[in-house]
Amino acid sequence: STDGGRNLSLDSIPMGLPMSDPSAWATAMNNLGMAPMGMTGQPLLPDFDPALGMMTGIPPINPMMPGLGIVPPPIPPDMPAVKEIIHCKSCTLFPPNPHLPPPATRERPPGCKTVFVGGLPENGTEQIIMEVFEQCGEVIAIRKSKKNFCHIRFAEEFMVDKALYLSGYRIRLGSSTDKKDTGRLHVDFAQARDDLYEWECKQRMLAREERHRRRLAEERFRPPSPPPVVHYSDHECSVVAEKLKDDTKFSEAIQTLLTWIERGEVNRRTANNFYSMIQSANSHIRRLVNEKAAHEKEMEEAKEKFKLALSGILVQFEQIVAVYHSASKQKAWDHFTKAQRKNISVWCKQAEEIRNIHNDELMGIRREEEMEMSDEEIEDPSEMKETEESALVSQVEALKEENDSLRWQLDAYRNEVELLRQEHGKATRDEDTTKEQQMKLLQQALQGMQKHLLKVQEEYKKREAELEKVKEDKLKIETLLENLKEQESSTSRVCACSQEKECPVEKTLSNSPVKSEREVLLVGIISTFLHVHPFGASIEYICSYLQRLDSKICTAEVEVLMTRLQNTFRQELSGVGASLEKRWKFCGFDGLKMT
């Protein structure tokens, strides 16, 4: 852990090494960013703050770094690391030249606990190596070679970083100056299979813990499973029937009923009970419709309240804007300072923007209401035809479903007849008479079902024929519309040619019943409209259609124009008595033959 890296205790290692200067080891540990500790595990500086280094430019320990945050931080080139002489029992370590660059190291392997130590004295023994490096932590194993290097494996990863700090030190055994008793230490990371294996085991353990934690979190946030539905019995059936009558328990009971039906609990014995429960469920439809109507009424009232409140807010905004405009007039504007005028103008712009936004919102609400009203009042004849076709299609589908249900019932009756025949051979003579009666009744029922099935099939064929007729009529109407469009295009060409011609053409136009291009366009539009209405239309209905295109058109102008064109339009009376009605019809095709 990080605390173990910062508060390293060496009480378990009995050592009594003489130190010429206690601050040397403190300085060395401070350069690593760790709290200075004595050889016995006691802090050398009790007021040391681990977040601050004793030297400037050395950042604090980062716990997320490899080796549990004990990797030595980078030292600036202009700030040499201060390393002191370290005295041990059998040897002395002299620091390298502070002006030299730090020794190079290889890339740190994952989970590294083993270091390579080179440059050992020829006379160095494992005991001297243990004496030097056990100050960095617990040493598990030392593998020494004959060529003045060894591998040291520590108990924890952070101890490797402490050992790397000794890289570059010159070692001298005792007070000898012989070459065999001196050397320059080079400490570097070493790659070991044991370290990699332990690191992989640790990573797998962390992954297992993470998966376990995620599984617990998912189980905590997973919604609880619904309660199981009880099996059908007479007692449970009566309980569910009572719950269906209660509005508060209806949703629970209807779910139970649905599950029973899907499980196949319905049979001849329980059919009556299920029918009564379905009837109880059907009785709630009126209640739900009433609730929906009440909610819709509340929504309409809330809309009205919101509209009234918005209109009141708009009135107040108008008053505020009026105040700003009156203050901006010359009579009052001259008495304000420059800063006051600037504030008033800014406030006026803000108030006008907010007022315009609210006004657009209110106009949008009113527009939506008008659109809803117009959609309810105006019904397009093409939509009426589509609704008729959809109604016929729905009737055909209903007849198909009824036909299928009748077939299923017929199969069920046939199965029952076969069962009765099998039982007939096994039963006694006394039961023969009753079973014969049942057979007769079932045969009569089968005959009735077959007759009904034939009737339904005939009705289905009639409906299909009607649907085909409607489709043919629709195709005819579409062809007539295309013809009318071609007539309109031809009339427009005739009008264009008539404008290019000179006085003799104007004389012929003055003699014709159509006196202007506008009347020609009206005649074409009225002809198209009446062609779609083969039974005729009243003058008010025609004018209401034309006023959608041009609101300036009046009824008298249209009626005079249609009376002049007797070969194109014909007026007929329909109805008797009070229901007498004048209808205009298009007779252009007959008039063309007459003229």
Side-chain angles (χ1 to χ4, degrees):
S1 64
T2 308
D3 295 334
R6 290 181 179 173
N7 301 321
L8 177 64
S9 177
L10 301 176
D11 294 341
S12 61
I13 305 173
M15 291 182 62
L17 302 178
M19 294 179 65
S20 61
D21 186 3
S23 64
W25 188 252
T27 306
M29 296 184 72
N30 177 50
N31 289 334
L32 286 173
M34 298 181 292
M37 305 295 292
M39 299 304 290
T40 59
Q42 300 296 327
L44 295 175
L45 299 175
D47 297 329
F48 178 80
D49 186 3
L52 302 173
M54 291 179 68
M55 296 177 57
T56 58
I58 299 176
I61 298 171
N62 182 10
M64 300 304 292
M65 296 174 70
L68 300 175
I70 318 299
V71 175
I75 301 173
D78 57 344
M79 184 63 66
V82 178
K83 293 187 176 183
E84 300 293 337
I85 298 173
I86 301 174
H87 293 277
C88 298
K89 186 177 179 180
S90 305
C91 62
T92 307
L93 300 175
F94 297 93
N97 188 355
H99 298 287
L100 291 175
T105 57
R106 63 182 292 179
E107 185 179 357
R108 182 174 190 141
C112 180
K113 295 181 184 179
T114 306
V115 294
F116 166 83
V117 182
L120 294 171
E122 290 184 16
N123 295 332
T125 61
E126 288 189 8
Q127 185 179 358
I128 295 171
I129 297 169
M130 177 70 76
E131 185 179 324
V132 173
F133 284 96
E134 69 181 355
Q135 302 177 40
C136 303
E138 182 183 354
V139 177
I140 294 177
I142 297 176
R143 293 188 295 274
K144 189 176 181 303
S145 175
K146 296 179 181 180
K147 296 183 180 181
N148 302 332
F149 70 88
C150 70
H151 289 86
I152 303 173
R153 189 163 191 259
F154 291 97
E156 299 293 338
E157 293 182 30
F158 67 89
M159 299 174 185
V160 173
D161 301 295
K162 287 186 180 183
L164 286 176
Y165 177 74
L166 299 176
S167 184
Y169 268 81
R170 287 180 292 110
I171 182 170
R172 188 177 69 184
L173 303 180
S175 57
S176 175
T177 57
D178 190 6
K179 273 191 174 183
K180 294 184 179 181
D181 295 333
T182 60
R184 184 179 296 276
L185 297 179
H186 174 69
V187 186
D188 198 356
F189 299 111
Q191 192 166 6
R193 288 193 295 269
D194 295 341
D195 298 343
L196 182 61
Y197 176 73
E198 289 182 4
W199 181 79
E200 288 176 350
C201 291
K202 186 177 179 181
Q203 295 301 315
R204 285 195 291 270
M205 182 185 69
L206 292 174
R208 284 195 298 271
E209 291 177 355
E210 180 66 19
R211 287 196 299 270
H212 181 66
R213 187 186 61 77
R214 287 182 181 176
R215 193 181 300 112
L216 291 177
E218 289 175 359
E219 289 177 357
R220 187 167 66 252
F221 290 110
R222 185 181 297 152
S225 58
V229 178
V230 296
H231 290 281
Y232 176 82
S233 64
D234 293 338
H235 174 69
E236 295 295 338
C237 178
S238 61
V239 171
V240 171
E242 291 297 327
K243 287 182 179 180
L244 284 171
K245 296 175 184 177
D246 191 357
D247 296 344
T248 58
K249 301 177 181 178
F250 173 72
S251 58
E252 178 187 355
I254 198 71
Q255 186 63 35
T256 305
L257 177 60
L258 177 62
T259 306
W260 284 349
I261 294 174
E262 289 177 351
R263 283 179 183 173
E265 301 287 350
V266 183
N267 50 38
R268 293 180 66 184
R269 187 177 64 82
T270 60
N272 293 331
N273 295 333
F274 276 97
Y275 179 77
S276 62
M277 287 190 285
I278 293 169
Q279 193 174 8
S280 300
N282 185 49
S283 64
H284 286 269
I285 292 175
R286 184 177 296 174
R287 173 182 65 82
L288 295 174
V289 170
N290 293 334
E291 286 182 3
K292 180 177 177 292
H295 288 307
E296 287 179 350
K297 187 178 180 182
E298 290 177 1
M299 187 176 69
E300 294 295 332
E301 291 176 355
K303 280 185 181 178
E304 290 296 328
K305 287 181 182 178
F306 174 70
K307 195 164 65 174
L308 291 173
L310 194 60
S311 60
I313 290 168
L314 280 173
V315 170
Q316 294 179 12
F317 269 119
E318 293 289 347
Q319 293 172 352
I320 294 169
V321 172
V323 169
Y324 288 140
H325 285 308
S326 61
S328 301
K329 291 180 181 177
Q330 194 72 24
K331 188 175 181 180
W333 192 252
D334 295 337
H335 298 287
F336 295 115
T337 63
K338 190 174 181 180
Q340 290 172 345
R341 291 175 185 174
K342 187 177 179 181
N343 290 336
I344 290 171
S345 60
V346 170
W347 294 340
C348 183
K349 286 180 182 178
Q350 291 177 352
E352 285 178 349
E353 288 176 359
I354 297 171
R355 181 206 50 194
N356 293 335
I357 291 169
H358 285 74
N359 195 8
D360 293 340
E361 189 175 354
L362 185 61
M363 293 301 293
I365 293 170
R366 289 177 178 169
R367 249 186 253 110
E368 287 178 359
E369 291 179 353
E370 290 175 0
M371 290 286 288
E372 289 176 0
M373 294 293 290
S374 62
D375 290 340
E376 291 176 359
E377 290 175 358
I378 300 166
E379 291 182 359
D380 197 356
S382 62
E383 291 180 359
M384 292 288 289
K385 289 178 180 178
E386 289 178 0
T387 53
E388 289 177 0
E389 289 181 6
S390 62
L392 286 170
V393 170
S394 62
Q395 288 179 2
V396 168
E397 290 178 354
L399 287 169
K400 282 183 179 178
E401 291 179 358
E402 189 177 356
N403 191 3
D404 293 338
S405 64
L406 288 170
R407 284 177 182 171
W408 295 337
Q409 291 180 10
L410 190 61
D411 293 337
Y413 280 123
R414 284 174 179 168
N415 293 332
E416 289 183 359
V417 168
E418 289 177 0
L419 289 172
L420 288 172
R421 284 176 179 172
Q422 291 175 2
E423 292 176 357
H424 179 69
K426 298 177 182 179
T428 56
R429 295 179 182 179
D430 297 334
E431 296 176 353
D432 289 344
T433 55
T434 56
K435 288 190 176 180
E436 286 177 0
Q437 292 175 0
Q438 289 179 359
M439 290 283 289
K440 289 178 181 178
L441 291 172
L442 286 170
Q443 287 175 358
Q444 291 175 1
L446 281 171
Q447 290 174 1
M449 293 289 289
Q450 288 174 352
K451 290 178 181 178
H452 186 59
L453 184 60
L454 291 172
K455 288 181 182 178
V456 169
Q457 287 176 351
E458 290 176 0
E459 191 174 354
Y460 173 65
K461 291 178 182 178
K462 288 179 182 177
R463 294 290 184 181
E464 281 187 342
E466 290 178 2
L467 187 61
E468 290 177 357
K469 286 181 181 178
V470 169
K471 288 180 180 177
E472 291 175 359
D473 294 340
K474 187 177 179 181
L475 290 172
K476 289 180 182 178
I477 290 169
E478 287 177 355
T479 54
L480 288 173
L481 283 172
E482 290 177 358
N483 294 331
L484 283 174
K485 287 179 182 176
E486 291 175 359
Q487 288 179 6
E488 284 182 7
S489 62
S490 62
T491 52
S492 62
R493 290 174 188 168
V494 170
C495 291
C497 294
S498 64
Q499 287 179 357
E500 294 176 359
K501 290 181 181 179
E502 294 180 353
C503 297
V505 178
E506 291 178 358
K507 289 178 183 179
T508 57
L509 282 173
S510 62
N511 296 330
S512 67
V514 181
K515 296 179 180 180
S516 64
E517 185 180 357
R518 186 171 183 274
E519 290 184 353
V520 170
L521 291 173
L522 284 174
V523 168
I525 294 167
I526 294 167
S527 302
T528 306
F529 182 77
L530 289 176
H531 196 281
V532 179
H533 296 77
F535 298 105
S538 62
I539 190 69
E540 291 82 6
Y541 189 24
I542 297 168
C543 289
S544 67
Y545 175 74
L546 293 173
Q547 283 173 357
R548 292 188 200 170
L549 307 174
D550 187 2
S551 58
K552 297 178 182 179
I553 296 172
C554 61
T555 308
E557 179 185 359
V558 175
E559 193 169 6
V560 169
L561 178 63
M562 293 174 73
T563 50
R564 282 200 303 236
L565 299 170
Q566 295 179 0
N567 292 329
T568 306
F569 306 107
R570 181 174 71 250
Q571 188 176 20
E572 292 182 357
L573 297 175
S574 62
V576 179
S579 62
L580 191 65
E581 186 180 8
K582 294 180 180 180
R583 288 180 174 269
W584 287 91
K585 291 186 177 181
F586 177 73
C587 60
F589 298 117
D590 299 334
L592 185 64
K593 296 176 182 178
M594 293 171 64
T595 55

